[in-house]
Amino acid sequence: MSIVQTEPAAPEELEPKRSSNWLTRILQQFFSPSVGTIAMAIAVALVIGALIVAIFDEDVQSTAGYLFARPGDFLAAFANAFGGFFTSLVRGSVFDWTQSSATAAFRPLSETLTRAVPLIIAGLAIAVSFTAGLFNIGVQGQLLIGAVVGGYIGFQFQLPVVIHLLVAILGAVVGGALWGFIPGILKARLGANEVIVTIMLNSVAAFLVQFLLTTRTFVGPGGYPGKSQAVAATAKYPQILGSGFRLHLGFVIAIVAAVFVWWLLKRSTFGFELRAAGANASAARTAGINVPRTLMLTLVISGALAGLAGTAPVLGTEGAITNGVAGSYGFDAITVALLGRNSPLGVVLAGTLFGALNAGGAVMQSSAGIPVDIVQITQAIIVLLIAASEAIRHRRARQTLAARSAEATTTEGAAA
């Protein structure tokens, strides 16, 4: 009897095995914290951030010199600095009650949503890749390439209003997808580690953009190296709340992207294959799923989303390509996906939280004299707290399993 093999089996050494990939196992656990752990980490991190601000406040330090003589002065200064952290954060991210007009009072909320746009879309890119067991740390480079392609189309071509914007967005998506295809094909064909490849591609993208911003094609007449020509008005995202706010159509696109990712992961056939490959590559291959192809397409889709995220600054808030147009969105998106537990809704909420922290940081520095770096410190504390809690939970689970195994061994020995 002959057996017909419908699909050639991939070489064993090229097949990604989750059971033997210790990095993937650790990351899987790290990216699956409980909702309670996330909420507790955010609350504790905010308190720690406020304590840091209070400790290094000048009034607190001066009143600490005569703490025992007049403790009331120290407590009042400490409470003022501690509370100033939260009031400045709320004033800069949600509602500024010190403003006289309603437009100015609600502008912080729109600023939060504006800053959340690239974080949400880039976080979705991370979530898609990790669902398949891939750690796409190259979102930063893919986002940068998407911004360059979209920005180039925006200032180089003359097209009608709606068509120009759509072509620029499509160009950014294709640019990010092609940059994600490189690690994808290397992973599928050669078994290359996507973490190493994508880290290297981040540097390649950054140096490529630096070079392009010295050429006449990008800088243009009368320009200066380091900044491209301005994107045409026909290729920019329209402001959805009027000229008094920076919130643009990119926020709507971010929500649509989240809905698309939900449908892709939960309702599509490819989403099932993607999740199966991420859960157990060997079982997925046994079930007839082409695992290398699935992983390659996953990185392409992740790169496409990252390229879409690059349109937020270049076609929305900045209107030009610069060396810092991508900011640190690609790396912040890792934390956003972590807090969002790789779910589209969670990523939207986590991206909005980080947008609020970034928006509030500007008001902290201008009004309260609090360094904007405290926002980065707070974000880092959130990650460290989640990592510590998950490590403790993992250790307790292993201890419990070992105790049960020892108890079972003792019981079997006694019975014998």
Side-chain angles (χ1 to χ4, degrees):
M1 182 178 64
S2 61
I3 300 177
V4 179
Q5 185 174 342
T6 59
E7 181 180 329
E12 194 70 16
E13 64 273 12
L14 301 185
E15 181 183 342
K17 291 185 176 181
R18 197 175 190 87
S19 59
S20 61
N21 192 335
W22 61 270
L23 178 60
T24 303
R25 294 201 308 270
I26 292 175
L27 292 175
Q28 182 189 28
Q29 184 176 11
F30 185 56
F31 273 70
S32 303
S34 64
V35 177
T37 299
I38 295 174
M40 183 64 67
I42 294 174
V44 173
L46 290 175
V47 172
I48 293 176
L51 287 174
I52 294 174
V53 169
I55 290 172
F56 290 95
D57 183 75
E58 294 182 359
D59 292 338
V60 173
Q61 292 180 350
S62 61
T63 55
Y66 54 91
L67 171 62
F68 296 103
R70 296 173 60 181
D73 292 351
F74 172 80
L75 294 176
F78 188 90
N80 184 59
F82 186 87
F85 173 87
F86 294 100
T87 56
S88 299
L89 181 62
V90 174
R91 283 180 52 208
S93 60
V94 182
F95 182 78
D96 190 354
W97 55 86
T98 64
Q99 300 294 330
S100 57
S101 64
T103 301
F106 284 100
R107 186 176 289 115
L109 180 59
S110 69
E111 191 66 21
T112 292
L113 299 179
T114 302
R115 292 172 181 260
V117 171
L119 294 172
I120 291 174
I121 305 177
L124 292 171
I126 294 287
V128 167
S129 64
F130 195 77
T131 303
L134 299 170
F135 194 54
N136 182 14
I137 205 171
V139 167
Q140 179 75 8
Q142 295 153 11
L143 188 152
L144 192 56
I145 294 298
V148 168
V149 176
Y152 176 78
I153 295 174
F155 67 72
Q156 192 68 22
F157 294 88
Q158 302 296 327
L159 298 172
V161 179
V162 177
I163 296 178
H164 199 177
L165 177 59
L166 292 177
V167 172
I169 295 174
L170 180 61
V173 170
V174 172
L178 290 176
W179 211 250
F181 172 76
I182 299 175
I185 193 66
L186 292 177
K187 178 74 173 180
R189 297 300 182 186
L190 303 176
N193 189 301
E194 75 279 0
V195 176
I196 297 175
V197 176
T198 51
I199 287 176
M200 295 173 65
L201 287 175
N202 283 340
S203 299
V204 174
F207 286 118
L208 177 61
V209 173
Q210 289 183 16
F211 166 74
L212 292 176
L213 292 179
T214 62
T215 62
R216 292 184 178 180
T217 303
F218 278 77
V219 176
Y224 298 93
K227 185 176 182 179
S228 73
Q229 305 176 50
V231 173
T234 53
K236 296 189 67 175
Y237 283 128
Q239 295 171 323
I240 59 180
L241 295 179
S243 58
F245 302 90
R246 292 205 309 162
L247 186 62
H248 51 76
L249 187 63
F251 178 74
V252 178
I253 292 178
I255 301 301
V256 172
V259 175
F260 165 75
V261 170
W262 171 83
W263 172 84
L264 177 71
L265 297 179
K266 302 297 183 182
R267 293 293 184 266
S268 68
T269 302
F270 177 76
F272 170 78
E273 296 176 350
L274 185 152
R275 288 183 285 113
N280 192 315
S282 298
R285 181 173 172 272
T286 303
I289 296 175
N290 190 334
V291 175
R293 171 182 170 274
T294 300
L295 298 183
M296 181 191 67
L297 291 178
T298 299
L299 285 174
V300 170
I301 295 173
S302 179
L305 288 169
L308 179 62
T311 63
V314 75
L315 303 182
T317 55
E318 303 298 328
I321 306 170
T322 62
N323 289 324
V325 70
S328 60
Y329 297 133
F331 300 114
D332 294 340
I334 299 174
T335 310
V336 170
L338 165 66
L339 295 182
R341 304 180 75 244
N342 291 312
S343 70
L345 177 60
V347 169
V348 171
L349 296 177
T352 304
L353 171 65
F354 271 49
L357 290 174
N358 293 332
V363 175
M364 288 180 185
Q365 188 169 16
S366 60
S367 64
I370 300 173
V372 70
D373 296 334
I374 192 64
V375 173
Q376 300 294 330
I377 294 175
T378 304
Q379 294 174 357
I381 293 174
I382 293 174
V383 177
L384 290 175
L385 290 175
I386 292 177
S389 63
E390 291 303 306
I392 294 173
R393 183 171 67 89
H394 178 67
R395 183 176 180 180
R396 289 178 177 175
R398 292 187 62 180
Q399 290 177 346
T400 302
L401 182 61
R404 290 178 179 176
S405 178
E407 182 180 354
T409 303
T410 303
T411 303
E412 292 176 0

